Amino acid sequence: MYATQQSRRNIPFDYQTQVINYRPSIYARRANLTVKFQDIYLFTVEGNVDDVNVLNDVRERIRQQGRVWWAMEASKGANWYLQTQDSSTLKTSLKLSGIVNAVTLKKLIRKGIPPVLRPKVWFTLSGAAKKKSMVPESYYSDLTKATEGKVTAATRQIDHDIPRTFPGHPWLDSPDGHAALRRVLVVYSFRDSYVGYCQGLNYVAALLLLVMKTEEDAFWMLAVLLENVLVNDCYTNNLSGCHVEQRVFKDLLAKKCPRIAAHLEALEFDVSLVATEWFLCLFSKSLPTETTLRVWDILFDEGAKVLFHVALAIFKMKEAELLLAQHVGDVIDILQKTTHHLFDPDELLEVAFDKIGSMTTNTISKERKKLEPAVMAELDERVRRLNSLKAEEH
């Protein structure tokens, strides 16, 4: 259970010890029936026996990758991946020791951070540790107390969304889980009243709680994500940043997967129908948990460009099927089935980085700047039309 200090509450189960093999019954193996089981974060997973076999392979790779990281820790020290002499340079000039270079770290992270090390590695690489160090130690607990009992539009929406966040999870969908998630979201809504709260953040914060194991660390990870890692205005009232990301993604799809883009345009399919949720929830509602967290491993190290790599890869992996789709509903069905069964993170990430081609953060930033004026003009026009309709009604 949780400790008494609010900011130090720990998730009441130890997922690190649950890297187990899944064994469906002999009847399921014979009939290839759908089976249900729990992943290492205690989410209920539904799939066929092929999916179970894939998950067992993934678990073994997690073990092997863990051995690599532990060997590095044993030989180079607990924080071998950082220049620890000057903590003020954690985010802006990440450096490795003289023995291990940045390319090695990047490759290791792309292969996955072991679950037991994720909290520490994320917290440091993302810049959350630096952000936390710049405020008084009691910042989170003080803000928690100060916001207790306060009611705003954001807190009302949070209260509405929490029961619908990963229903059925043994901890998140419990009184303790609801309370912890509410505190993290409410406190952040007061920290940044401009963002406040946006639907989608509930899923992101919930997964951060499971990984980081304490409320306070989950809060700081949410803060660094919204304030430093992702593009500005993704979660504001008009979602302007998210609209820009969708336009950038549409253009990238046309460049990287021209046949798919042309076919979808002929079907009058808008990619934002699926990609909006991907970008707002950072794939947490779409991909299996471990696959999502592998994407986040790279997100906290390399930045938001990984979201475009992964979104493009999902389309690329199903190019043949998508080109045969005759209706918008067919496209949505193909993409949803694909994401829900992407149990092998390496399969997805191999396509994302080896077959999509290079995309630098600078290139994507230039695309954003180029497309932002048109997107903002469309949003302004939409507001004018809504206001005009309201005026006519009165």
Side-chain angles (χ1 to χ4, degrees):
M1 295 301 291
Y2 280 96
T4 55
Q5 245 187 314
Q6 281 190 346
S7 63
R8 294 295 177 188
R9 289 182 171 87
N10 292 310
I11 305 293
F13 55 83
D14 184 7
Y15 58 79
Q16 290 92 343
T17 61
Q18 299 182 30
V19 183
I20 57 174
N21 282 344
Y22 306 115
R23 294 185 174 87
S25 71
I26 189 171
Y27 304 106
R29 292 200 298 274
R30 286 175 179 169
N32 201 28
L33 298 175
T34 296
V35 291
K36 289 185 178 181
F37 41 88
Q38 286 186 328
D39 66 16
I40 63 172
Y41 293 93
L42 303 191
F43 286 99
T44 298
V45 179
E46 187 173 300
N48 57 36
V49 176
D50 289 338
D51 295 327
V52 174
N53 292 332
V54 168
L55 274 167
N56 284 333
D57 289 341
V58 170
R59 296 294 169 256
E60 181 55 34
R61 274 179 258 149
I62 288 174
R63 290 190 190 94
Q64 293 172 0
Q65 187 68 356
R67 294 186 193 107
V68 173
W69 282 78
W70 287 120
M72 297 294 284
E73 293 228 339
S75 62
K76 312 300 180 188
N79 293 317
W80 60 268
Y81 46 86
L82 291 174
Q83 181 188 16
T84 57
Q85 288 81 2
D86 184 2
S87 61
S88 67
T89 63
L90 288 179
K91 177 64 180 174
T92 57
S93 60
L94 176 64
K95 297 178 181 178
L96 302 178
S97 69
I99 302 169
V100 184
N101 60 39
V103 174
T104 302
L105 178 61
K106 184 176 179 179
K107 286 181 179 178
L108 277 174
I109 288 175
R110 285 193 178 185
K111 288 181 180 179
I113 302 169
V116 70
L117 291 177
R118 269 199 180 109
K120 182 177 70 169
V121 177
W122 280 10
F123 202 65
T124 309
L125 293 185
S126 67
K130 180 182 177 182
K131 192 176 283 287
K132 179 183 176 183
S133 71
M134 297 173 70
V135 298
E137 191 175 339
S138 60
Y139 179 92
Y140 180 75
S141 59
D142 289 346
L143 200 49
T144 301
K145 293 171 186 173
T147 58
E148 205 169 304
K150 299 282 181 69
V151 178
T152 65
T155 64
R156 285 192 289 269
Q157 187 62 54
I158 289 167
D159 288 334
H160 179 71
D161 288 347
I162 282 177
R164 305 186 299 174
T165 306
F166 297 125
H169 187 277
W171 183 74
L172 288 172
D173 195 14
S174 72
D176 283 348
H178 287 179
L181 180 57
R182 186 184 192 278
R183 281 188 292 269
V184 170
L185 292 171
V186 168
V187 169
Y188 190 80
S189 75
F190 279 89
R191 172 182 168 86
D192 187 348
S193 57
Y194 180 60
V195 170
Y197 169 75
C198 174
Q199 289 178 307
L201 290 179
N202 49 321
Y203 293 98
V204 174
L207 212 46
L208 286 173
L209 272 170
L210 290 185
V211 173
M212 301 308 296
K213 305 299 291 270
T214 74
E215 279 183 42
E216 185 172 10
D217 286 354
F219 166 80
W220 286 113
M221 287 301 299
L222 184 64
V224 81
L225 190 61
L226 299 184
E227 296 164 17
N228 301 93
V229 177
L230 300 177
V231 67
N232 291 335
D233 299 333
C234 259
Y235 296 95
T236 52
N237 283 337
N238 64 356
L239 299 177
S240 59
C242 185
H243 286 292
V244 173
E245 298 293 79
Q246 296 306 303
R247 192 65 58 84
V248 171
F249 176 61
K250 184 178 179 181
D251 278 17
L252 289 173
L253 186 67
K255 291 174 183 175
K256 300 288 185 177
C257 308
R259 293 179 67 206
I260 297 175
H263 184 65
L264 296 182
E265 189 171 347
L267 294 178
E268 298 184 346
F269 176 80
D270 186 347
V271 294
S272 66
L273 287 173
V274 291
T276 297
E277 181 181 280
W278 293 352
F279 280 75
L280 282 178
C281 298
L282 307 181
F283 296 102
S284 60
K285 275 189 72 180
S286 309
L287 296 174
T289 314
E290 181 60 24
T291 305
T292 299
L293 298 181
R294 285 284 301 279
V295 173
W296 288 16
D297 287 345
I298 305 168
L299 174 68
F300 290 125
D301 181 48
E302 299 184 38
K305 71 172 186 176
V306 68
L307 302 178
F308 294 98
H309 277 277
V310 170
L312 289 168
I314 292 169
F315 278 88
K316 184 70 174 175
M317 291 172 78
K318 291 298 174 180
E319 180 169 10
E321 289 183 42
L322 290 170
L323 292 177
L324 294 175
Q326 299 297 312
H327 306 285
V328 169
D330 297 335
V331 176
I332 294 173
D333 189 48
I334 290 167
L335 294 172
Q336 286 183 341
K337 285 182 178 177
T338 300
T339 54
H340 292 161
H341 290 270
L342 273 172
F343 293 109
D344 187 347
D346 291 319
E347 181 186 11
L348 173 64
L349 295 174
E350 181 181 343
V351 176
F353 290 103
D354 295 344
K355 298 184 180 179
I356 293 302
S358 176
M359 289 188 295
T360 66
T361 299
N362 189 44
T363 300
I364 293 172
S365 296
K366 286 180 179 177
E367 280 291 303
R368 289 187 185 117
K369 288 180 181 177
K370 183 178 78 175
L371 297 170
E372 186 175 12
V375 172
M376 296 306 294
E378 289 174 15
L379 292 174
D380 289 342
E381 178 61 27
R382 188 182 301 176
V383 171
R384 281 195 291 271
R385 287 178 183 174
L386 287 172
N387 289 338
S388 177
L389 287 172
K390 287 178 183 177
E392 289 176 8
E393 289 175 1
H394 293 300

